[in-house]
């Protein structure tokens, strides 16, 4: 939301300085995201003074230069070398003394220094208009009025009038009442009333306009739920043309371009009051009849920018006798808009339902200023006062006169809602004891009406300009922000009760996993959970969660898997020459089964490129086992024991399921080239996916520590010959079945294949580490345990012991 300081000042009875106003706005919940001083002259003519040329002679060593003596209101005359052809004795000129910074048009600022020009010292500069930011004229120095006194600051001589301060305010969705200069003025006045202890109210600009006679155009509302009020007036004899300078400047200050005087008035009213208006060419309204109703499904409409759109039965439209004129509250039509030849206009000021405008605006992708305000809620009570304001301005800038009285159609009477606010609830939620007078004063200054009060509570009537206020908590927030959140006392003692928070444990687990991954060289990414359905296999369509009102045709479902959104991040980086990528992401996936929706938290890992290298090791491309090793290392560090099982999947060329207990907990895989090609990726990508709920369940509740054994561990190597189809995972499973309690861990250190081993055979060599906390192993004990392993491998894997 953009606010002009000059514009806002028109509605404030007391005007704070811009810096103070910025603090006030942020204090009352209208956070100032930026504040920029605009207009006027860059640098504000700071340091420039008026001077009088009292002597001017040619430079002794340059034909085009002159040496002047200038009275700048100081103790002594200034000697200044000048190259302007028009400099002459008696002129009042602009003097930049030593230390002054100049801001020339189209060039970088520079500071005036004492200099020597062709051997003659110069103690300043006589300035041309472009050298001080006042236009582009560089034909000669700027000559001031003869009445100007030497030494007068140039700011006082020229008095720039276009200076303004522009505030960018970050509005939360519930603050539609502050989407206008008057809305902001109301809040500022409430703050000043409370903190300055002086009743203040914004200067409301609504005039009283007397209209009479039979309106030439009638209005009919056939959908009272979508249009709760429709006001309008016909103005005849207008002259469409350029807006006056003051109106252009007002709109330009907040970034709105001038179109013509009629449209500019409607835009001015919108940003001044928050009420959208629409002007029709009255001569184009067939049958002199306005009908507010829903469109016919499939009907075609030509918008103001000559685009053809197909309407739905949900679209609220403004019709004349025969055809649609505009999309109500959203966009005008080509055939009914105001043009340079328009002589008579019909001005609309209406109140449309938030739901109706939101559906139409998002469906057709028409996010206009009017639509944004209607979908957040406008003030039902001001359609007529705003219309009077617009009539006054239009007749001022475009001429004309009203034809007939103002129309005001309210199909169903609207009544303000009421909320009961208890004093105990106010104290509990705010943490502060407010006096009755303080509460009532704040509410009154914001436009609320205290209907009744008891010793326990207040019954408060909610004004129409507060459509988002529906609960007692909203009233507490209103009171707190005007009183000041910084005015809430911090108690001298804080009483805390210690308890175990399961959510804290889960959060700490995620943080631990993230830290382990970062330590392993991974970077965390965050990708969009709204994705393109074309990324996924068509067989999955039945379980996808589709968006009803997607903002883009390419973002139409909630992601059912993490893979594709991560691949998009991989592709983005590869296209920018970031080749060796290590990504991880905590994110949610979404699916639906028979109308039941599932939301699952996941951890996904992505690898591509080479493993890290140094002077001693050459780069090696990552492969399936690179990813599997990293996943196993992570889970092992978290104390989660897993198994792996070979599997196949449409998306992967190689894959292992991750098993915890007997349940699937994820997958480690190499992405199939077909899906990489679809994402524009030409290099292998490894992927791992963990169902985080399974990890949380398997994560040990307590970590147990034990002393390091006082006795040395024992190591033995064993090589077995098995079929090529046998995996290391199967060897691990067989090892567990041997039931060796003293086996601390085992590692595979060599895989060898040769025809000498036999057809379809391979050799796998492993190191076994045994430990005992009570004694040192004997050779007999070691031989017995190795014989147990040999027997299991022979029976379970049909292995041969390699001698």
């Amino acid at each position: 939301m953009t606010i002009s300081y000059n514009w806002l000042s028109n509605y404030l009875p007391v005007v704070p300085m811009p810096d103070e106003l910025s603090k006030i706005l942020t204090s009352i919940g209208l956070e100032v995201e930026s504040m920029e001083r605009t207009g006027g002259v860059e640098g504000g003519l700071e340091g420039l003074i008026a001077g009088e040329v009292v002597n001017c002679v040619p430079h002794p060593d340059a034909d085009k230069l002159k040496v002047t003596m200038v009275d700048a209101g100081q103790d002594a005359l200034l000697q200044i070398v000048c190259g302007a052809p028009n400099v002459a004795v008696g002129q009042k000129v602009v003097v930049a003394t030593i230390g002054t910074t100049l801001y020339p048009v189209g060039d970088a600022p520079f500071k005036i220094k004492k200099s020597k020009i062709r051997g003659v010292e110069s103690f300043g500069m006589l300035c041309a208009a472009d050298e001080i930011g006042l236009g582009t004229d560089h034909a000669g120095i700027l000559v001031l009025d003869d009445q100007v006194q030497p030494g007068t600051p140039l700011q006082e001589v020229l008095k720039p009038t276009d200076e303004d301060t522009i505030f960018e305010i970050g509005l939360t969705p519930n603050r539609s009442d502050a989407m206008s200069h008057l809305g902001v003025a109301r809040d500022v006045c409430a703050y000043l009333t409370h903190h300055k202890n002086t009743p203040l109210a914004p200067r409301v600009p609504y005039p009283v306009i007397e209209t009479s006679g039979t309106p030439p155009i009638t209005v009919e509302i056939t959908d009272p739920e979508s249009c709760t009020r429709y006001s309008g007036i016909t103005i005849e004899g207008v002259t469409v043309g350029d807006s006056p300078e003051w109106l252009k400047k007002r709109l330009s200050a907040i970034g709105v371009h001038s179109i013509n005087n009629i449209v500019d008035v409607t835009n001015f009213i919108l940003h001044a009051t928050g009420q959208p208006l629409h002007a029709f060419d009255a001569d184009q309204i067939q049958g002199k009849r306005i009908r507010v109703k829903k469109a016919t499904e499939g009907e075609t409409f030509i918008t103001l920018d000559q685009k053809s759109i197909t309407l739905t039965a949900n679209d609220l439209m403004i019709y004349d006798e025969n055809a649609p004129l505009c999309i109500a509250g959203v966009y005008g039509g080509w055939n009914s808009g105001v043009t340079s030849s328009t002589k008579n206009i019909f001005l609309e000021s209406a109140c449309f339902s938030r739901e109706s405008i939101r559906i139409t605006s998002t469906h057709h992708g028409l996010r206009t200023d009017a639509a944004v305000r209607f979908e957040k809620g406008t003030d039902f009570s001001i359609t007529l006062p705003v219309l009077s304001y617009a009539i006054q301005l239009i007749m001022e800038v475009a001429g004309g006169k009203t034809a007939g009285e103002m129309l005001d159609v309210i199909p169903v009477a609207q009544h303000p809602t009421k909320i009961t606010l208890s004093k105990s609830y106010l104290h509990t939620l705010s943490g502060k004891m407010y006096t009755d007078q303080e509460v009532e004063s704040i509410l009154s200054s914001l436009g609320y009406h205290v209907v009744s009060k008891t010793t326990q509570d207040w019954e408060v009537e909610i004004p129409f300009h507060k459509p988002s206020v529906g609960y007692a908590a909203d009233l507490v927030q209103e009171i707190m922000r005007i009183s000041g959140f910084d005015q809430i006392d911090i108690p001298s003692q804080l009483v805390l009760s210690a308890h175990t928070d399961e959510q804290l444990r889960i959060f700490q687990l995620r943080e631990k996993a993230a830290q382990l991954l970062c330590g392993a060289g991974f970077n965390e990414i965050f990708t969009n959970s709204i994705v393109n359905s074309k990324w996924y296999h068509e067989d999955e369509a039945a379980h996808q969660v589709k968006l009803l009102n997607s903002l883009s045709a390419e973002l139409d479902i909630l992601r059912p898997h993490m893979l594709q959104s991560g691949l998009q991040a991989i592709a983005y980086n590869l296209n920018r020459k970031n080749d060796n990528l290590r990504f991880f992401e905590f994110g949610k996936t979404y699916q639906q089964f028979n109308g039941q929706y599932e939301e699952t938290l996941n951890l996904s890992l992505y690898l591509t490129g080479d493993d890290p290298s140094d002077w001693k090791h050459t780069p090696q491309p990552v492969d399936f086992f690179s990813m599997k090793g990293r996943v196993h290392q992570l889970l092992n560090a978290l104390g989660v024991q897993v198994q792996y099982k070979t599997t196949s999947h449409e998306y992967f060329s190689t894959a292992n399921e991750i098993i915890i207990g007997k349940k699937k907990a994820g997958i480690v895989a190499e992405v199939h080239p077909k899906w990489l090609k679809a994402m524009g990726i030409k290099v292998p990508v490894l992927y791992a996916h963990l169902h985080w709920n399974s990890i949380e369940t398997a994560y040990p509740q307590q970590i147990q520590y034990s002393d390091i054994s006082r006795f040395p561990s024992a190591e033995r190597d064993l090589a077995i010959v098995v079929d090529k189809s046998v995996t290391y995972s199967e060897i691990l499973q067989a090892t567990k079945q041997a039931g060796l309690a003293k086996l601390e861990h085992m590692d595979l250190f060599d895989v060898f294949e040769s025809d000498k081993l036999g057809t379809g055979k391979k050799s796998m060599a492993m190191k076994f580490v045994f430990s005992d906390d009570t004694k040192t192993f004997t050779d007999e004990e070691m031989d017995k345990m190795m014989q147990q392993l040999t027997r299991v491998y022979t029976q379970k894997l049909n292995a041969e012991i390699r001698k």
Side-chain angles (χ1 to χ4, degrees), residues 433-463:
M433 291 295 295
Y434 293 94
T435 66
D436 288 8
Q437 181 181 1
E438 193 174 9
V439 170
E440 291 160 18
S441 173
I442 291 174
L443 292 176
S444 175
S445 64
L446 289 172
Y448 295 93
H449 175 54
V450 178
V451 178
S452 62
K453 97 182 218 188
T454 67
T455 56
Q456 303 297 322
D457 54 41
W458 297 273
E459 186 179 20
V460 182
E461 185 177 273
I462 312 302

Side-chain angles (χ1 to χ4, degrees), residues 251-268:
L251 296 176
S252 176
I254 59 171
V256 178
H257 297 294
S258 174
I259 298 174
N260 60 51
N261 48 8
I262 302 297
V263 175
D264 287 356
V265 166
T266 62
N267 284 331
F268 176 87

